[in-house]
Amino acid sequence: LNSNSKGAKLKSLEDSIANLDNRQSKAVIETVEGVQRIRGLAGSGKTIILALKAAYLHAQHPEWKIAVTFNTRSLKGQFKKLINTFYIEQANDEPNWENLKILHAWGAPGGGEKNGLYYEFCMDNNIEYNDYLSSKNKFDITDPFGEACKKALLDAKGKIQEVYDVILVDEAQDFSVSFLRICYEMLKFPKRLVYAYDELQNLGSQSLPSPEEIFGTNSNGSPRVQFYEAVEGKAQQDIILEKCYRNSRPTLVTAHALGFGIYREQKIENHSPLVQMFEQNSLWEDIGYEIIEGNLSDDSHVILSRTEDSSPRFLEQHSDLDDLIQFKVFDTKEMQDYWVAEQIHGNLNNDELRTDDIIVINPDPLTTKRAVAPIRADLFKKGINSHTAGVDTTPDIFFNTDTDSIAFTGIYRAKGNEAAMWSM
């Protein structure tokens, strides 16, 4: 590789973040006899930690029934690859996929790759299963899956079948309380549930409530799940991953500024220009920001910055800021499409990037197939293969491993999948 190419810089970064830090390593090994919560921003390693934890527990307790579940279907291939790699490193053998299952949250009839945790719950407890269309017609259109899970819990009267020894949930911010309760009910005592999430990535409007609220109360009114205070030498129930290895400081701060609407102008008097905000102001510091000026309180001026500890400098020192983040404005869609295709051609031929280093994201998932067609046609003329994830591939596949191919996708399917270079 040319030492100054993007490919060389990427390889150097990958080598630098190959080892987990102490906090992440503890999150993998520490097993709580009960519920454990892992929180962190995009790029803090939540998915890798869950995959490592699944492989570790499977190696330690091969007889346990373990399930790994998630919202974004295209994460399935990533999880299987990660778990398989980690398990072979530990046990020098393939996992027993009968005891270690990678399941989409919803699932459908048909068995095999279609199986899902909610579908299993319905079948195990002999209650009605609702697919997306029936849930959309019967229940609240804003959260059909959440309503389907809520009804399943109500219908599963009496003793619920306890199937698993451990369930690990990724992307928990995208799930309703009812789905997390289904996971809890499916567990044998002592209810080993690990759920990981990012407060800033929820696809709905609500943030996850406290564990006490999620899992409800016993007959005497006491919480079924209550986190104990962190004690030295005791496995932690609540782990916050404040260090981000996959996203540089400029990238994260820009994403948060845009996502919260920090610099929006106030359009209506007495209405905040912000799009959203944390319910707890202290979360800013929990996720790796420090106060530079002002007060972190309501209706106060404050300037925040990410620390060098939470956002390592080596993630941004390899390139100029204007190369890390670029904003482009085009007069026409045709000009935009031409530019994207030319950039991808340059990334592959001059920058020494691989096809799976690149993702092209269309912000409106309903128009993705049609909107990206001209770019894909231009790439085809240049001899570059491409695919639309979930359209040209099965829903469980994001990157096409059978051939060198650029992934095009909408925002929902892109979630949780990583690449060094992406266009939106």
Side-chain angles (χ1 to χ4, degrees), residues 106-107 118 122 128-135 138-139 144-145 148 151-152 155:
W106 200 315
Y118 160 73
C122 293
E128 180 188 19
Y129 161 81
N130 287 282
D131 61 15
Y132 175 75
L133 286 177
S134 61
S135 299
K138 289 181 185 178
F139 311 126
F145 183 49
K151 184 176 188 302
D155 291 346

Side-chain angles (χ1 to χ4, degrees), residues 22 45 52 59 106-107 142-143 162 228 234 249 259 291 303 309:
N22 290 334
L52 271 166
W106 200 315
T142 59
D143 185 17
E162 296 174 342
Y228 50 74
K234 188 175 182 180
R249 182 179 56 122
I291 300 172
I303 297 176
D309 187 52

